[in-house]
Structure formats: structure tokens, C-alpha cells
């Protein structure tokens, strides 16, 4: 299953982290923007070209040390279809470099429509007999509010194409508890219920490390819930946002891992993309600064979980 | 507020329905596909050109009698960025014809990322001082699982730009109850809790008909819950899927309306796009068949709710 490929990559690189690619135009150095605007004007096309050049430079600097990237769809949609084209090109570029690509789209819908999303992001689209990858990521984040119908088509494509999904369970934002922390009459919280649904949905997609192809998003900003869910969802691999810019530290993130240092991947987006600011460098050094931050983050996490063992 | 514009349009046309534009390549007549494939090849570009031509023909046939269209993002993403370009062009075309456009994307994320989605779909994107509409719909469907942080940036843009959102409350699919029908310890169901959050989120966006700019998605396939939510969320305008192909009828949908025939808009997607099949016509008559079905649906709904009054 797909997360076996991801875990293989994590073990080989001894690095359980993923670089979030949520590029805002503000993060892109002036030299890149100026060149793109000179070629395409101050247009969505120009902006998209700048994002793509920025992403490629970061990928070039980290692909040998970081196992995965997570482009966030919203930051591409913000620049129209031209931005969405840059998303597709970013995915293709990162995969060519051997990285595992998680498209962060949090997609959700009824069954027939989820088939279309699953096809779009993880499968292949049929055009009059031609099979074409529309976006072709390795995994997609999804929202399980609609229940099993909305997840089944994804599980089917994950099985056929060796892909994975991450379902939102306990998100990293301040108000995530408004609904997710409420208690149901069966004694479980809403997020706990969602976690148990992930365990069930993953049954068909077992992997060699004990983790299924149905993962969960659980934020580092809620370390207690992270610890609880690690125990209650032992076959569910975690994608953990909230480290760094959102306030989570290595000791918080630690709760996501099992005793072998497996079971989770920790995301950092702004921390890596905007590393030059923190390191007191100029923006022209953004890519080297991103590499330095990726290495620092890896060491930070490994310092609390130790060696990652198969 | 945005839903005032929508309601004005509903009253003027005496038609509380929205045409879903979820075009699959299978629905598009061979003559359109052949012409597009001849020009662009059997590619995503060719498929996207066919979808756009199909949508435009349907819009041309219904814009004078139907107040709104609802393109479903998944069916465009399935055809890559080329499909997403067709989505943007469909939105622009429908708006030019005076239709209210609801992008059905069910987007959701943490606050900073929701700002990007809100900008993408409802706002204007800043590119080095130039303000550009990326998609420019009138309303967007969203998922409220992440709580207030994920809704606030949308409410802000709705206020600034006269737009609206529809939050998933009780969805139309068979397994929607798995989570949504569970009872919380405060006595409310999960969907009811989400409905009360919609009432609260809408407080800042009141409209002249008593409905706020924060609407809710409640399926016609669950008429009892629809009736319950109409009573419990009196300021929340409903987008009602599930009529027609999914099994809901006019008597089910009736529960979504208030005593003036306001408070809801009923969606039909496959029923309208594939009307030629039901009417025993050839696929070349798809656009005329779509108009006939749109008129039949309008009469069907009006027959149970009566005249729509301001």
C-alpha cells in the first residue's frame, strides 16, 4: 500500500517530516517575481510561474533529505486555473525527484462526486479511451463528515493505484474543538469517532508496517489528543500539522509516533518556506535556508524519537 | 447580502431551483466531443473544451428561466487544470448571462488557508497591486468540521464582496447519518449542532428577507430533518440537493421552504443535464431537453409551495 512507500522513504532518509508547499506570492524572492512578471505581466499566469519556480528551487534543495512534500491546494486555486496548473507541475516535478506527494485538498462529497475527486487527484482520467493523470499525487487529504459513501471511492482507487488518504480527525486550528471535541452519547468525542471510522475504512488497505492506506490528520497543537489517538487508532498513520509556525514543538509531535519511531509524518510549511527570515539571511538565500531548516527540523524530531526502525 | 440577490432572482423568475453543472464526458453529445477532439486531440484540453461547450449550450437554454447554476468542482478537477479552466470560464459565462453562481467545492481548512480559498472562489487575488478575480463565483459550499476559524475568513469576504456560503449540515447521501445523526451529550444531533453554528456565523450577514449570507446544505432525501432544520435555523437559507436522480421529490423538498415559499433553492444536476434520455430524445437535443426539464421541475416545486412572495 501507498504508505509502505512513504514509510520506506522515511526509514531510508531517517526523516519523518514533510515539507508543506503553501506558497504565497509574498514568500517568493523579488528576483523570481520580477523575471516572471517581465515575461507574463502582473497576471495570474505570472504569479503561477513565480510559485512554480519557487517550489522547484525548494524541491531541488530538499529532495535528497526529505521524503515527502505537501502542496496545499488553496494557495494554488488562489491564482486561478493558472495556479492549479502550477500545482500539477509541482506534483509532477516532486514525484520525478522521488518524493512522495500529498495533495492537501481536504476534499469531500457524496459517493459519485467523490469518485470524480478520487480520479482527479489519485487516479487516471479516461478521455475517449486515453488514460491520463489529471494531478497524480500519491495521497490526498479528505474530510469524512459525509461518512462511508464519501470515502469508499477513494479506498477503491487507493487499492487499484497504490495510493493513500488522510482523513481529518483532530485538526490543528484553535477552534477545532468546537465540534470535534464535543462528546457523543456513546461516550466518544467527535474526533475519536472519526478516528475509529478511519480504523474501519483502512481494514481493506493493510500495509507491511501495520499501518493502513487510510491515515488521519491530527494536529501537534493538541498533544494530549495526539497521544490518545495514537493508542486508539493503532493502524492509522498520522499526518501531523501544527509544528513550528502554529506553535507545536518536537515534544508535542512525539506523541504521534509508535515505539519504533513510525506511525506519523510531521509537516512544516511556513517554517521551511520562510526559513531565510528566521536565519537572518536575505530572501535570495531562501532555498539554502529551507534545506538548513529541513535538517534542523529532522534533528529536532529525531532527538525525541530516536532512530526510526523498520 | 448575496442571498438577497439570489432571492430577488428567485422571486422574479418564480423559480426556486438551481441547475447543477456536473458534466461528465459521457453526458456530452458525440458531435461536440468529436469537434473538440478533432481540434485538441483526445486530451484533457479536448475534454475540457467539450465540457465548456456543453455547459454554455445548457446555460443559453435556461438562463432566462432558472436563477442559478451550481458547477461541482470535482467534475472539472477530474480533467486537470484544463478542466479547472473550463470551470472558471463556465462561471464567467453564467454570470454574464445574469445567473447566480454557486461553486460546489465543499472547501474547508484552518484560518490562514481558508483565507486563500475565500480569495480564490469569492474574492479577488492581489498580484503585485493588480486585483484579479481567480474564479469569482457568487457563493461557495464549505464544510464546517474545523469550526469558526475556518468560516471567519469567508464571512469577512462575503461582507466585503456581497457573497454567500453554504455550510454542509445534513447531506443527501445514504451514509450521511453515520456521523451527522449521532447525538451529542447536549441533546443535539451533530447536524443540528452544525445548523446552530450556521445561525451564529450568519449573525453578521443579515439580509432583507430574513436570511443571512451563511446558508446550509440539507438534503431532500431526508425530509424529516429538512423540516426540523427549517424550524430550528430560521435565518439560514438552504441549498437542497437530492431532488430527482438521488430520489427526493417535490413533497420532500417542500419542507425546506417557509410560508412565503422562500428560504431554499432546490438543485437538480443529472436530471437536467441528462434530460434528453428521460424524454426519449436523441442526445443532440440535450439543451432543449434541459430547458423542458427545468420548466417541469419549476412547476413541480411550485405546485407544492404555491406563489413565491417577497
Amino acid at each position: 500500500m501507498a504508505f509502505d512507500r512513504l514509510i520506506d522513504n522515511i526509514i531510508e532518509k531517517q526523516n519523518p517530516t514533510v515539507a508543506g508547499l503553501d506558497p504565497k506570492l509574498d514568500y517568493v524572492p523579488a528576483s523570481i517575481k520580477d523575471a516572471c512578471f517581465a515575461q507574463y505581466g502582473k497576471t495570474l499566469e505570472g504569479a503561477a510561474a513565480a510559485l512554480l519556480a519557487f517550489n522547484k528551487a525548494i524541491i531541488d534543495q530538499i529532495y535528497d533529505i526529505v521524503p515527502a512534500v505537501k502542496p496545499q491546494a488553496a494557495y494554488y486555486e488562489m491564482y486561478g486555473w493558472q495556479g492549479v496548473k502550477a500545482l500539477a507541475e509541482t506534483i509532477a516535478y516532486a514525484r520525478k525527484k522521488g518524493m512522495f506527494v500529498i495533495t492537501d485538498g481536504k476534499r469531500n462529497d457524496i459517493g459519485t462526486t467523490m469518485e470524480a475527486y478520487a480520479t482527479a487527484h489519485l487516479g487516471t482520467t479516461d478521455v475517449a479511451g486515453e488514460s491520463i493523470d489529471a494531478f497524480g499525487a500519491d495521497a490526498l487529504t479528505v474530510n469524512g463528515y459525509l461518512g462511508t459513501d464519501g470515502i469508499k471511492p477513494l479506498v477503491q482507487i487507493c487499492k487499484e493505484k497504490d495510493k493513500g488518504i488522510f482523513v481529518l480527525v483532530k485538526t490543528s486550528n484553535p477552534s477545532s474543538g468546537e465540534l470535534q471535541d464535543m462528546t457523543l452519547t456513546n461516550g466518544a468525542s467527535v474526533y475519536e469517532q472519526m478516528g475509529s471510522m478511519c480504523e474501519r475504512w483502512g481494514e481493506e488497505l493493510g500495509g507491511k508496517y501495520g499501518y493502513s492506506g487510510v491515515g488521519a490528520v491530527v494536529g501537534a497543537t493538541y498533544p494530549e489528543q495526539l497521544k490518545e489517538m495514537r493508542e486508539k487508532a493503532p493502524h492509522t498513520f498520522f499526518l501531523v500539522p501544527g509544528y513550528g509556525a502554529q506553535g507545536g514543538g518536537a515534544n508535542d509531535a512525539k506523541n504521534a509516533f509508535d515505539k519504533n519511531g513510525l506511525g506519523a509524518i510531521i509537516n512544516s510549511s511556513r517554517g521551511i518556506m520562510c526559513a531565510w527570515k528566521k536565519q537572518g539571511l536575505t530572501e535570495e538565500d531562501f532555498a539554502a535556508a529551507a534545506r538548513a531548516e529541513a535538517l534542523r527540523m529532522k534533528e529536532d524530531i529525531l532527538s525525541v524519537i530516536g532512530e526510526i526502525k523498520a
Side-chain angles (χ1 to χ4, degrees), chain A:
Chain A
M1 300 316 306
F3 293 151
D4 287 348
R5 285 195 282 125
L6 174 60
I7 296 169
D8 289 343
N9 213 347
I10 288 171
I11 293 171
E12 188 203 318
K13 296 197 166 71
Q14 286 291 304
N15 189 354
T17 73
V18 47
L21 294 175
D22 312 3
K24 286 188 167 177
L25 214 43
D26 291 347
Y27 302 165
V28 180
S31 60
I32 293 179
K33 281 190 286 201
D34 290 348
C36 293
F37 293 153
Q39 191 169 357
Y40 302 106
K42 288 178 180 173
T43 59
L44 296 177
E45 199 177 2
L51 300 189
L52 181 62
F54 179 78
N55 285 346
K56 283 184 170 177
I58 289 186
I59 291 168
D60 286 344
Q61 280 286 334
I62 64 170
Y63 77 92
D64 59 327
I65 52 168
V66 178
V69 286
K70 181 177 74 64
Q72 165 54 257
Y75 292 96
Y76 301 86
E77 292 180 20
M78 202 171 115
Y79 297 98
W81 62 263
Q82 298 90 338
V84 175
K85 186 179 177 199
L87 170 62
E89 290 168 339
T90 297
I91 293 168
Y93 191 80
R95 294 198 76 204
K96 211 176 61 186
K97 292 280 187 178
M99 301 188 88
F100 188 95
V101 179
I102 302 162
T103 296
D104 196 353
K106 300 186 174 61
R107 297 304 195 244
N108 64 108
D109 218 294
I110 65 169
T112 47
T113 304
M114 257 343 252
E115 264 180 61
Y117 275 131
T119 300
H121 294 284
L122 302 175
T124 51
T125 299
D126 174 71
V127 178
E130 303 293 323
S131 286
I132 307 171
D133 275 18
F135 290 96
D138 296 294
L140 177 69
T141 61
V142 303
N143 185 318
Y145 186 74
L146 286 86
T148 299
D149 304 336
I151 301 296
K152 259 189 185 163
L154 293 153
V155 168
Q156 189 54 35
I157 284 194
C158 287
K159 199 187 279 184
E160 289 166 16
K161 305 270 177 186
D162 187 26
K163 308 277 173 146
I165 55 171
F166 291 99
V167 181
L168 300 187
V169 168
K170 172 66 184 167
T171 57
S172 60
N173 57 312
S175 65
S176 72
E178 278 178 22
L179 182 73
Q180 297 163 28
D181 288 359
M182 289 193 88
T183 306
L184 296 161
T185 50
N186 67 3
S189 61
V190 168
Y191 71 80
E192 203 183 327
Q193 185 70 23
M194 193 64 87
S196 75
M197 285 157 84
C198 291
E199 283 280 302
R200 182 158 52 78
W201 292 327
E203 281 168 8
E204 287 179 64
L205 295 174
K208 67 180 177 182
Y209 295 104
Y211 292 101
S212 85
V214 177
V217 174
V218 189
T221 42
Y222 296 102
E224 286 310 311
Q225 288 90 334
L226 196 46
K227 193 175 178 184
E228 174 198 355
M229 290 314 297
R230 181 66 294 147
E231 285 163 17
K232 290 186 174 161
H235 308 98
T236 303
F237 193 85
F238 292 167
L239 169 62
V240 183
Y243 173 91
Q246 288 183 56
N251 272 310
D252 301 316
K254 184 183 177 184
N255 291 348
F257 295 93
D258 66 24
K259 62 180 180 2
N260 292 324
L262 292 177
I265 192 161
I266 313 297
N267 181 74
S268 172
S269 302
R270 278 167 284 174
I272 287 178
M273 285 183 300
C274 303
W276 64 270
K277 288 184 190 176
K278 224 173 155 186
Q279 295 171 27
L281 299 170
T282 64
E283 62 176 12
E284 302 306 320
D285 293 317
F286 75 97
R291 182 180 178 90
E293 169 60 17
L295 284 168
R296 190 208 61 77
M297 180 182 175
K298 165 190 152 146
E299 293 308 327
D300 188 33
I301 305 287
L302 286 184
S303 74
V304 296
I305 66 168
E307 192 196 347
I308 303 169
K309 295 181 283 282

